[in-house]
Amino acid sequence: MLEHVHHRVPVTALSFHRRDHVILAGHGNLLRGYDIDTGQILTNLKVFDDQAVHGILVTPDEDVLLVWGGRLVRKLNGHSISTYRPSNVYEARDWILDAALSPEDDCIAFVDAHNALTICNIRDLSAEDDGSTKPLATAVPSSNCILYSAHVTWLSGSQCLIASGTAFGDVMLWSASISRIADGSFTAVAQTHYTFSAHEGSVFGVQLSSKQQARRLGDGCDCLLASCSDDRQVKVWDVSDRFTNSHSLPQIQRDTGFGSKPEAEEHAPPCLAAAMGHVSRIWKIRFCDHDAQKGVEIMSFGEDASNILWSVKPDSEPGNQPFALKQVGVQNAHAGKQIWSVAAAEDGCFATGGADGAIAIHHAPNLPAEPSEIDRKMLEPGDNIRYYAFFNQGAMLATTDSGSVWTLQLGAAGTSSAREVLPALPALRGYSVVASISRLAFLAGSAGIVYMYNANTNKLTSVADCGKKVTGLFVSSHEKSHSVRLVDLLITTVGQSDPCYMRFVRDAISTAEYVSPREDHQPSLPIPEGFSITSFTTMEHAQPCIHLTLVGARNGSIAICNTSSDGHDGLIKLLPNVHGKEAVTALLWRSHGNKPTTLSGYLHSLGKDGTHAVHNIRRHDQKWEIELIHQLGLPFGPNIEGLTILPNDHLLIWGFRGKAFIVYDADAEQETMTVACGGAHRNFAFQPSVEGGTFVWTKASKIYQHMQTRRPYTLITPGDHGREIKAVSVSSTEDMQIFATGAEDTNIKLSTFDEKDGFRCVQTLRRHNTGIQHLCWSSACRYLFSSGGFEEFYVWRVTTGVPVLGGVGVVCESVHPNSGKSDLRILGFDISETRQKGVFDIVLAYSDSTLKQWSYDIGTWSLVSTIDYLTACLTEVFHTSGHVITTATDGHLALWDTEASASSLTWRTRHRTHQNAILGVAFRELHDRSSLVFTAGDDNAIGITRIEQCGAVRALLIPRAHTAAVTAVAVVPSDTDRNTLLLLSASIDQRVKLWTVSIDVTEPGVDGVHVKLQRNVATSVADVSSLALCRLAGDEGVGCVVCRVGMEIWRIGGGIRDTYLSRVSDEVIRE
Amino acid sequence: MGKSSKDKRDAYYRLAKEQGWRARSAFKLLQLDEEFDLFNGVTRVVDLCAAPGSWSQVLSRVLIQGQQVGRAAWEDKRYKELLRLRQQGSIVDDSEEEAPTEAKPRKDVKIVAIDLQPMSPLEGITCLKADITHSSTIPLLLQALDPDYDPTSSSIEASSPVDLVLSDGAPDVTGLHDLDIYVQSQLLWAALNLALCVLRPGGKFVAKIFRGKDVDLLYAQLKVVFQSVTVAKPRSSRASSVEAFIVCTNFQPPKGFKASLDNPLGAGRRLEQSSSTHDNLNGSPRTVRDDGIVELDMDTQSAEDAASDRQGLADRSTRWIAPFLACGDLSAFDADASHKLPEGHVSLDPIQPPTAPPYKRALEERKKMGGAYGKVKGAG
Ligand SMILES: C[S@@+](CC[C@H](N)C(=O)[O-])C[C@H]1O[C@@H](n2cnc3c(N)ncnc32)[C@H](O)[C@@H]1O
């Protein structure tokens, strides 16, 4: 019983394994090997029982892996990635910070958190595993001051150089001469070179350069030291001169607190450069090796989950340090906070591991970091490019101030060439608009003449004269058959509400030209008065033959019009304010349906409200059915500008955030391209591709281009919050099991799980402004409810099984009217479904000791009752055996009266079970209609309270159930014995326990309740806060998920099938 | 949210300002004292990790000025009122309205406070700025306790020992949980090392502890040198925090034990286990308490399939779970609850500005450049 299935926890160690093209990663106590290209897990080894992996070292022949974490070390032997097998565990005296392999023989040097050096020969470590733990002896004893960082390197086969950083800003540089004595052990003579105050805060990272790297700063340079700290500084020191000796830190009897004055004894190396970076603490620093041309480059990695590349450049400013650190680039590959691990490969590629459980493989930058300006030499002096649009891969049509029309061809290296299509057209002078699709573009100006540019013929022809200044051109096209292409053009003009609608057809077999049907065959657009068009798309369905025109407006509305010219023309539906009062910037139609005779599809829309919405549009029995199935905010915006579906079926969305242009892969939840362009409100054009695309923009009258042909990084196992998960709720529908998690990052994530690939995030709900406190699905899982601080309470409508959006659409159906009104937290809530679809009774438990009962009816809220408990913060509310029950930080359960009349809720009795806060509950109704309530106590105890229907209450307490606060409990009935329950408990002692609870209901109170511990296992999820049951594949299909710093799945086993889980939905009123 | 939002969120923050404490931590010590009578017969105290100094203030008020700081200081008056309204049967002792007692200053009081950070002086208290994990701090402390101490002597034992050693030390947590727990345990070891040098037999030791993975190893070690070890959580400490306090009484230095500078406890060195730390599990597993709750005394460590899954040299016998005790009556303000502010509430400024973080300069620098510093959505 209780078998580990999978976990996704922070990545605390990384190393490249070249031969097998693998990245090795420490995830908790597991060592995983992933194929670098596909992200596939190739090996998954449990290295330690209950210790996280903090370091991985691969020998040059790649036959031995050395893995360490905390005090423990383990050697793994093997010949390929799938054959490594662990040997005995060794234990050092203290926490290991770093290890290095000597260049000549097989010696390993370890530095620990008290600056002790341990040397051993890797061949001397046992290759067997007899299950015992063996000690490692130290060669240089500790210096009795605590370190946060250390880096050890071998200068030769018998000499180590060590840099170490203390919690209080000091850095030490010391070396040790190592010799092997007769008995095979090692001794060392240590020498301290420098002990100095390097930073104002804890030194979290130190790194020594190689000689080659140091030489790039000058011949006199042999060794550089880089350091980073709590004080947000990155510093580079010249430690080439190691002839002088310094006192070691313990010898210096100086003040040890913060702000101590450096004393005479202190001996500091010259500081070459210093810079401030990152918005929070800086954990790690590395020298970048791959490109000697670039001089010395270093990379820093921070708590802010970003990595910054710095280049060390001479600084000629008098009075400054001799060099300056110039920020070259920033990447934000990880979600949430923290980069905990880093590894570099020789080709300049490097990997980062975050608290989000993701590994980012960063490719060596191969592109000019600076944007290139598009050459304007071909233009008349004084003339300038104004408007432009892509009509082909890397090809744009552009108009100038003087009204001349050009084609521009852009090259990958930032080059461009221009060709004039027509010299100055008076109709386009001073003002013009351009719209394009593949191989076709339209132009118009203030005179009202509309031109068509056909890339096949490279000709510009006039196609219409509106007689008024044209304010907008919108174009859409589809292939009617493999040769016939239909093009729809909308022209809006100044002062006229009705747009002009034109249609062009081209039969590629007969002609290269597009022809426009006769006037009376042109469609008309039945949009309402004052509908100011900002976006447009069309769709055509063959059988029945239907042509739809979909337009978005400046006021956020969308109109769906039938433009079939079959007599059914007309407005099908006006969807008011889909994007609030903000403009709809883009529309995209995706047909779907296996039956060609029914029209069905999805309309994607983007708005300046920063959201992406999807409507399902169906025609069924001659009737139109339109339903909003999805609308969520994006992680950038509010200026969201465009979208497309890539050949790999991923949805790509682009827009702006601050001063940057962002391209976002919505399916991978990854920013694929970021260009610093100055921000929204400018002319720009973007042509997407799978790896990025081409972005052209205007800034201060100049035109720039940036072409990206490769994503800057790829992510392996993305999708976690990267912050502490505070709530989890698992849906129980048959078709698709969704794990909803809410975290400190204020987001809710919906993920799926399978044993092979682990968790996959399908949607991120970014609407809360505070950390999530509680989550709960309605029993049919059509709704998800979430609560947080500031009285935030949201109702989400979730649609599963859709062919877009990774299968799951989410709409925030309602925000509780009190959300944001006060600083109260809602720690728990109880949802009961009523007989009416979409109507719920909701009881909310607040941090000020009040309980409020609301009735919710599809978006409308009415307060039923409100009542004070006492003074303690309420932690949970639930109902069982006809009682509403609350738990609180005072350790009490309180039973509330509900029957009297729903008009008021008062608590009837309260029962102390715990000394301190109750942090979790689970309950189960027994067959005599009494209930057992299991409580997780901050007092390390588990309480089991029996509540009879009459209200009689008796409690059983297991005082030392865990070593530390019990934070979550869950209960499953045993399949074999109806008088036995399985109880799971989790604690911040990082243990999960499985207990059997047998009940003889005929005995009074808890006399018939017997508890037995069945399993006591270590979890890799630190600081566990929540636990939920889930369904797993296979016969013994019940498992549980443990959450907080990561997520972990356990199979409960022991004959429990998932009948219990599906039972839940039997009680549900069919929706 | 206005200036008073933190006052609402955290009653103890507000009370601390109103009652002149430098930090809300003062209430933690006061509530521990209420439960354990920590200051009874105590005149010589070492306060480790003391900045900004609210524990030292408590020591000063209780020992030097001889005041009584009682429950009234942190009682939420609404609690009993609400209970009365609910007419909940027998109401808990509300008779204990403390009459203000006369101040009784104690004689020969000696208090030494140590912190890394500078601390504003407090009358009658010797403040040292030092790192408690550093070996040079031991002679520094001995000298402060006893002006006759000769730092050149190799002795590291106090000639006139102290009655109580307190430590409220906490590292700046990184978020890497096992590392944070390790660093916190190092602070605890350092405090214990100092305590072993200066504490008199029978003395008390109170220290902050993170209740996390392997905390039972620490409990077991403390149990070797103290007769009674309890893990206590004052009401003023949030339910959501890993913080708790280990209260150790009746110091019994093991025979022949010598505190050592070169080989301190912590990294590597362990105290030899005596067999006394084992709980007697032979008694009846079920006991009915006075309040009717049935307590189940059972082995909660070794499961059926007891295949040990803990590598390392420390085996199961070196683990022990200290009993838990919540301190402070239920009428005490709840640290997790949101509170309505009393009528006419005026939000006061903190008594002491918080100590400057090491990134203070980064903050200033960024402010100059006009950026919002460190604003990460949902941070904190
Ligand atoms: C929670 S505060 C103590 C509050 C204090 N008890 C009061 O009531 O005002 C923790 C203190 O531990 C200190 N500290 C952390 N590590 C330390 C060390 N190694 N040596 C000395 N002090 C340390 C910090 O500087 C900080 O002031």
Side-chain angles (χ1 to χ4, degrees):
Chain A
M1 284 204 270
L2 219 56
E3 167 203 338
H4 183 267
V5 177
H6 178 86
H7 65 222
R8 181 172 65 195
V9 296
V11 181
T12 44
L14 283 172
S15 183
F16 281 96
H17 189 285
R18 262 176 310 122
R19 190 179 54 205
D20 295 347
H21 198 58
V22 161
I23 178 89
L24 293 167
H27 289 266
N29 61 343
L30 298 182
L31 180 73
R32 278 197 199 131
Y34 297 91
D35 181 296
I36 290 178
D37 294 327
T38 64
Q40 206 191 338
I41 299 177
L42 301 178
T43 185
N44 197 18
L45 281 173
K46 180 173 162 185
V47 183
F48 300 121
D49 287 338
D50 64 351
Q51 169 62 55
V53 171
H54 287 287
I56 306 163
L57 212 150
V58 185
T59 56
D61 60 11
E62 302 196 329
D63 284 345
V64 178
L65 307 180
L66 199 73
V67 180
W68 69 90
R71 283 210 274 263
L72 305 180
V73 181
R74 210 161 187 193
K75 181 168 87 162
L76 292 91
N77 291 298
H79 300 292
S80 68
I81 200 66
S82 50
T83 61
Y84 287 107
R85 289 294 166 263
S87 64
N88 273 339
V89 175
Y90 284 80
E91 182 166 347
R93 273 171 56 100
D94 197 5
W95 185 280
I96 298 168
L97 286 175
D98 195 29
L101 203 66
S102 88
E104 283 156 31
D105 46 23
D106 299 310
C107 281
I108 325 152
F110 295 98
V111 189
D112 71 27
H114 283 84
N115 221 6
L117 184 70
T118 299
I119 309 283
C120 66
N121 190 299
I122 208 162
R123 307 282 161 213
D124 294 347
L125 296 179
S126 150
E128 306 303 310
D129 181 18
D130 60 8
S132 68
T133 302
K134 299 180 177 352
L136 282 178
T138 22
V140 178
S142 69
S143 62
N144 297 338
C145 69
I146 184 144
L147 303 183
Y148 262 122
S149 53
H151 182 214
V152 51
T153 58
W154 289 82
L155 296 175
S156 71
S158 62
Q159 201 177 26
C160 286
L161 182 64
I162 300 119
S164 33
T166 74
F168 313 115
D170 294 325
V171 168
M172 287 165 272
L173 187 76
W174 57 289
S175 57
S177 302
I178 292 134
S179 43
R180 190 163 190 160
I181 50 179
D183 68 351
S185 66
F186 294 85
T187 59
V189 180
Q191 187 186 19
T192 306
H193 306 293
Y194 294 102
T195 301
F196 60 104
S197 165
H199 287 275
E200 286 170 40
S202 302
V203 182
F204 291 119
V206 282
Q207 190 79 9
L208 291 160
S209 75
S210 68
K211 198 166 177 172
Q212 297 89 298
Q213 286 161 340
R215 279 285 149 84
R216 293 176 197 162
L217 286 193
D219 286 342
C221 240
D222 261 358
C223 188
L224 301 174
L225 169 70
S227 61
C228 60
S229 155
D230 206 359
D231 66 8
R232 280 65 163 160
Q233 297 238 29
V234 171
K235 290 183 178 176
V236 182
W237 313 82
D238 182 355
V239 292
S240 311
D241 175 9
R242 293 190 300 276
F243 296 107
T244 44
N245 277 356
S246 156
H247 295 280
S248 67
L249 195 60
Q251 286 168 326
I252 302 176
Q253 287 281 330
R254 60 174 181 134
D255 272 1
T256 49
F258 275 120
S260 318
K261 286 269 172 307
E263 290 184 14
E265 292 123 298
E266 189 180 287
H267 181 49
C271 180
L272 297 184
M276 217 166 265
H278 295 278
V279 291
S280 42
R281 290 174 286 184
I282 311 174
W283 298 135
K284 290 189 187 290
I285 191 147
R286 290 288 183 274
F287 285 92
C288 304
D289 209 12
H290 79 289
D291 193 351
Q293 300 296 306
K294 290 191 174 145
V296 174
E297 285 189 334
I298 56 180
M299 180 91 78
S300 58
F301 307 86
E303 181 179 18
D304 59 4
S306 77
N307 46 289
I308 299 182
L309 181 65
W310 308 86
S311 106
V312 184
K313 290 270 148 60
D315 189 352
S316 49
E317 284 285 305
N320 280 5
Q321 270 126 350
F323 291 88
L325 281 164
K326 189 173 167 287
Q327 189 168 319
V328 182
V330 192
Q331 269 172 9
N332 289 286
H334 293 278
K337 276 189 177 184
Q338 321 291 16
I339 288 180
W340 287 136
S341 51
V342 180
E346 277 134 19
D347 58 358
C349 163
F350 67 100
T352 51
D356 58 354
I359 300 162
I361 309 283
H362 304 255
H363 312 296
N366 54 358
L367 282 168
E370 306 287 322
S372 37
E373 194 189 333
I374 291 178
D375 203 351
R376 291 177 296 171
K377 281 198 303 288
M378 70 285 182
L379 299 182
E380 295 285 320
D383 199 8
N384 205 352
I385 295 173
R386 262 295 126 97
Y387 297 92
Y388 40 86
F390 283 101
F391 63 84
N392 208 348
Q393 196 59 44
M396 297 207 300
L397 191 73
T399 60
T400 69
D401 287 345
S402 69
S404 64
V405 179
W406 294 76
T407 58
L408 298 173
Q409 190 68 43
L410 308 179
T415 56
S416 61
S417 61
R419 229 172 65 204
E420 195 170 43
V421 180
L422 269 183
L425 283 173
L428 300 178
R429 180 167 303 148
Y431 168 85
S432 56
V433 283
V434 191
S436 67
I437 48 169
S438 172
R439 308 197 65 76
L440 208 60
F442 293 90
L443 301 164
S446 37
I449 304 171
V450 180
Y451 298 91
M452 174 199 277
Y453 170 76
N454 185 338
N456 297 328
T457 58
N458 193 31
K459 261 197 233 140
L460 198 69
T461 47
S462 123
V463 291
D465 185 354
C466 301
K468 285 197 188 82
K469 178 174 173 176
V470 174
T471 52
L473 289 175
F474 303 92
V475 58
S476 164
S477 87
H478 29 83
E479 313 286 321
K480 224 174 146 73
S481 67
H482 72 277
S483 63
V484 181
R485 189 180 189 205
L486 210 81
V487 175
D488 288 295
L489 176 71
L490 265 191
I491 309 159
T492 57
T493 48
V494 68
Q496 189 159 0
S497 70
D498 274 353
C500 166
Y501 196 154
M502 295 182 75
R503 184 166 292 166
F504 302 91
V505 186
R506 168 178 165 231
D507 191 335
I509 294 174
S510 53
T511 172
E513 306 289 342
Y514 285 85
V515 292
S516 183
R518 291 202 328 271
E519 189 85 5
D520 52 341
H521 276 88
Q522 291 289 4
S524 70
L525 199 60
I527 52 167
E529 191 73 24
F531 192 97
S532 165
I533 294 172
T534 50
S535 49
F536 162 78
T537 193
T538 58
M539 70 80 49
E540 181 136 307
H541 187 73
Q543 263 219 317
C545 178
I546 292 170
H547 186 274
L548 292 189
T549 297
L550 308 135
V551 280
R554 176 146 293 131
N555 66 3
S557 303
I558 295 172
I560 301 165
C561 310
N562 192 337
T563 38
S564 309
S565 63
D566 62 350
H568 291 298
D569 326 17
L571 181 66
I572 295 170
K573 180 122 186 192
L574 177 73
L575 305 169
N577 303 109
V578 174
H579 291 279
K581 289 190 165 59
E582 307 299 328
V584 181
T585 51
L587 293 169
L588 178 90
W589 172 264
R590 245 300 150 109
S591 284
H592 175 79
N594 21 25
K595 279 180 279 170
T597 48
T598 47
L599 182 157
S600 172
Y602 295 88
L603 177 67
H604 293 262
S605 61
L606 298 180
K608 292 222 164 157
D609 61 345
T611 68
H612 164 222
V614 179
H615 286 83
N616 178 214
I617 301 178
R618 283 184 308 268
R619 191 172 145 95
H620 191 71
D621 282 346
Q622 311 283 315
K623 280 213 290 289
W624 291 95
E625 292 171 2
I626 296 161
E627 186 193 7
L628 176 69
I629 60 154
H630 181 81
Q631 184 159 22
L632 288 180
L634 291 159
F636 59 107
N639 288 295
I640 310 282
E641 306 284 353
L643 79 172
T644 192
I645 292 171
L646 292 172
N648 64 4
D649 240 17
H650 281 203
L651 181 68
L652 205 68
I653 302 177
W654 55 89
F656 296 88
R657 175 178 57 218
K659 296 208 176 314
F661 175 74
I662 307 285
V663 182
Y664 179 72
D665 181 330
D667 286 85
E669 290 210 318
Q670 184 187 338
E671 254 176 62
T672 55
M673 181 168 163
T674 308
V675 185
C677 66
H681 312 297
R682 64 189 62 250
N683 287 329
F684 72 92
F686 177 63
Q687 188 174 52
S689 74
V690 173
E691 292 290 329
T694 308
F695 179 58
V696 175
W697 72 100
T698 305
K699 186 178 177 184
S701 314
K702 290 180 180 161
I703 321 290
Y704 297 91
Q705 66 151 312
H706 181 89
M707 192 180 283
Q708 179 180 302
T709 51
R710 185 170 188 193
R711 295 183 180 202
Y713 55 87
T714 45
L715 283 178
I716 294 174
T717 70
D720 199 352
H721 295 270
R723 295 295 306 275
E724 298 80 350
I725 296 171
K726 295 176 76 181
V728 62
S729 183
V730 184
S731 77
S732 58
T733 48
E734 291 294 325
D735 62 331
M736 189 177 190
Q737 175 170 258
I738 301 175
F739 291 76
T741 50
E744 209 88 69
D745 63 355
T746 77
N747 294 340
I748 298 167
K749 279 182 179 277
L750 305 184
S751 311
T752 58
F753 173 77
D754 79 66
E755 291 184 28
K756 198 169 130 284
D757 301 320
F759 293 99
R760 188 174 70 92
C761 175
V762 284
Q763 288 298 344
T764 302
L765 286 51
R766 299 180 178 83
R767 186 140 182 190
H768 277 276
N769 300 301
T770 58
I772 311 300
Q773 297 280 353
H774 194 62
L775 285 173
C776 185
W777 289 96
S778 68
S779 44
C781 304
R782 294 247 308 137
Y783 289 92
L784 177 70
F785 302 86
S786 62
S787 74
F790 290 161
E791 268 192 71
E792 288 178 349
F793 187 85
Y794 298 163
V795 183
W796 308 88
R797 186 159 51 74
V798 180
T799 313
T800 52
V802 293
V804 288
L805 300 160
V808 180
V810 182
V811 176
C812 183
E813 186 179 88
S814 182
V815 173
H816 191 286
N818 285 6
S819 295
K821 292 274 159 57
S822 79
D823 56 3
L824 298 184
R825 285 160 294 137
I826 300 173
L827 279 85
F829 54 82
D830 180 62
I831 306 291
S832 352
E833 250 142 296
T834 64
R835 304 240 147 243
Q836 248 175 304
K837 182 180 164 178
V839 181
F840 297 90
D841 286 329
I842 299 175
V843 184
L844 304 181
Y846 295 84
S847 57
D848 67 346
S849 217
T850 57
L851 201 63
K852 287 185 187 164
Q853 192 177 10
W854 300 82
S855 171
Y856 172 77
D857 183 354
I858 319 180
T860 57
W861 294 83
S862 33
L863 181 64
V864 179
S865 61
T866 171
I867 181 95
D868 285 337
Y869 169 59
L870 282 163
T871 50
C873 175
L874 293 170
T875 55
E876 303 254 11
V877 54
F878 57 98
H879 68 274
T880 182
S881 293
H883 306 283
V884 168
I885 301 173
T886 55
T887 61
T889 50
D890 61 4
H892 285 67
L893 285 176
L895 269 60
W896 302 67
D897 266 327
T898 45
E899 311 112 52
S901 79
S903 68
S904 95
L905 205 62
T906 59
W907 59 269
R908 202 162 12 108
T909 52
R910 61 195 275 268
H911 307 272
R912 181 161 197 182
T913 36
H914 294 273
Q915 293 186 48
N916 213 12
I918 294 175
L919 301 173
V921 290
F923 54 92
R924 191 74 205 162
E925 213 169 287
L926 306 176
H927 42 88
D928 70 338
R929 312 286 291 156
S930 68
S931 281
L932 277 191
V933 176
F934 301 87
T935 43
D938 186 39
D939 56 359
N940 307 354
I942 294 176
I944 303 176
T945 307
R946 178 142 177 230
I947 299 172
E948 286 170 61
Q949 262 196 308
C950 62
V953 174
R954 289 288 282 189
L956 185 76
L957 194 75
I958 310 168
R960 299 179 192 183
H962 281 269
T963 320
V966 188
T967 48
V969 280
V971 60
V972 213
S974 156
D975 219 32
T976 47
D977 177 2
R978 71 175 197 147
N979 294 317
T980 302
L981 297 174
L982 295 180
L983 170 68
L984 287 148
S985 62
S987 158
I988 55 175
D989 66 4
Q990 252 184 284
R991 300 239 136 211
V992 175
K993 291 182 180 177
L994 178 71
W995 319 70
T996 45
V997 182
S998 58
I999 313 117
D1000 179 353
V1001 291
T1002 59
E1003 295 243 25
V1006 289
D1007 291 357
V1009 178
H1010 295 275
V1011 185
K1012 196 163 170 205
L1013 178 70
Q1014 297 290 348
R1015 283 282 277 154
N1016 173 6
V1017 298
T1019 167
S1020 287
V1021 175
D1023 209 18
V1024 178
S1025 64
S1026 35
L1027 197 66
L1029 297 169
C1030 61
R1031 193 162 13 88
L1032 297 173
D1035 267 354
E1036 298 197 338
V1038 176
C1040 71
V1041 57
V1042 177
C1043 302
R1044 177 73 178 193
V1045 184
M1047 295 168 82
E1048 185 166 62
I1049 299 247
W1050 292 84
R1051 183 185 306 281
I1052 297 173
I1056 315 167
R1057 276 178 280 112
D1058 64 349
T1059 44
Y1060 154 69
L1061 291 171
S1062 40
R1063 193 201 58 84
V1064 179
S1065 33
D1066 293 347
E1067 296 169 352
V1068 171
I1069 315 115
R1070 294 273 157 225
E1071 287 180 352
Chain B
M1 295 288 142
K3 188 180 166 192
S4 62
S5 80
K6 198 166 172 195
D7 291 359
K8 275 193 279 180
R9 170 70 183 82
D10 185 347
Y12 289 97
Y13 174 78
R14 170 171 65 85
L15 292 177
K17 293 191 296 182
E18 288 170 3
Q19 297 171 21
W21 303 112
R22 292 178 180 182
R24 66 192 292 293
S25 320
F27 294 104
K28 299 178 192 166
L29 184 61
L30 289 166
Q31 290 173 350
L32 288 169
D33 170 54
E34 189 194 23
E35 196 67 51
F36 292 93
D37 204 7
L38 290 178
F39 305 138
N40 187 10
V42 162
T43 53
R44 294 173 65 80
V45 190
V46 173
D47 181 10
L48 301 173
C49 304
S54 77
W55 282 23
S56 288
Q57 280 182 296
V58 171
L59 294 171
S60 158
R61 288 196 202 175
V62 175
L63 305 186
I64 301 178
Q65 294 155 39
Q67 295 174 7
Q68 298 254 348
V69 191
R71 176 185 294 183
W74 60 84
E75 203 166 58
D76 189 347
K77 306 286 182 296
R78 283 168 50 242
Y79 180 75
K80 284 175 184 163
E81 196 47 44
L82 280 164
L83 269 188
R84 230 187 303 274
L85 283 176
R86 298 246 128 260
Q87 293 177 330
Q88 263 275 295
S90 57
I91 290 165
V92 271
D93 51 59
D94 63 344
S95 50
E96 280 181 42
E97 281 296 319
E98 292 149 42
T101 47
E102 218 174 293
K104 282 191 242 103
R106 301 185 190 185
K107 278 208 204 69
D108 299 324
V109 170
K110 179 82 203 173
I111 301 166
V112 178
I114 302 185
D115 201 284
L116 284 174
Q117 308 271 0
M119 191 169 127
S120 325
L122 276 167
E123 178 141 9
I125 295 184
T126 315
C127 296
L128 302 177
K129 189 166 72 61
D131 166 12
I132 66 158
T133 67
H134 201 281
S135 47
S136 64
T137 305
I138 297 181
L140 216 61
L141 172 62
L142 292 172
Q143 198 165 20
L145 282 171
D146 180 3
D148 298 333
Y149 173 76
D150 172 13
T152 57
S153 82
S154 62
S155 161
I156 50 160
E157 259 159 58
S159 46
S160 35
V162 304
D163 309 306
L164 173 64
V165 174
L166 303 173
S167 173
D168 192 19
D172 241 347
V173 294
T174 61
L176 200 55
H177 284 260
D178 51 354
L179 180 68
D180 290 338
I181 289 169
Y182 166 80
V183 176
Q184 174 63 29
S185 73
Q186 290 303 312
L187 274 186
L188 184 81
W189 284 120
L192 183 63
N193 259 321
L194 288 169
L196 292 176
C197 297
V198 301
L199 204 56
R200 69 166 165 81
K204 298 168 209 163
F205 175 64
V206 176
K208 182 178 310 199
I209 196 163
F210 281 1
R211 286 190 300 158
K213 182 172 166 278
D214 293 337
V215 69
D216 43 356
L217 289 175
L218 289 175
Y219 293 155
Q221 288 277 295
L222 291 163
K223 191 76 170 87
V224 176
V225 280
F226 292 94
Q227 190 201 13
S228 156
V229 175
T230 309
V231 56
K233 183 131 175 173
R235 294 253 166 250
S236 49
S237 178
R238 291 215 181 87
S240 49
S241 96
V242 291
E243 154 193 296
F245 295 88
I246 192 84
V247 179
C248 309
T249 57
N250 198 6
F251 176 50
Q252 295 173 322
K255 265 198 209 74
F257 176 82
K258 278 248 171 299
S260 160
L261 269 188
D262 303 323
N263 190 12
L265 294 170
R269 186 169 179 210
R270 295 259 173 287
L271 289 165
E272 281 309 316
Q273 208 76 27
S274 70
S275 56
S276 67
T277 55
H278 279 276
D279 294 303
N280 175 21
L281 286 175
N282 301 333
S284 157
R286 277 179 189 250
T287 36
V288 183
R289 296 193 326 209
D290 290 347
D291 60 2
I293 292 181
V294 180
E295 260 190 27
L296 204 55
D297 196 0
M298 60 185 288
D299 181 3
T300 59
Q301 300 299 297
S302 29
E304 289 276 277
D305 45 352
S308 156
D309 56 357
R310 280 170 174 171
Q311 295 149 339
L313 298 168
D315 68 56
R316 209 169 285 281
S317 67
T318 57
R319 295 174 183 270
W320 176 71
I321 308 177
F324 179 94
L325 194 67
C327 303
D329 189 79
L330 284 182
S331 63
F333 273 104
D334 186 301
D336 294 275
S338 312
H339 299 273
K340 294 170 190 92
L341 294 174
E343 217 147 303
H345 170 76
V346 182
S347 182
L348 304 172
D349 285 327
I351 304 303
Q352 287 259 304
T355 40
Y359 48 88
K360 190 172 146 244
R361 220 150 55 87
L363 271 170
E364 286 162 357
E365 204 87 347
R366 197 142 323 207
K367 208 177 277 163
K368 263 191 270 165
M369 302 189 312
Y373 179 77
K375 277 256 165 21
V376 181
K377 190 188 171 201

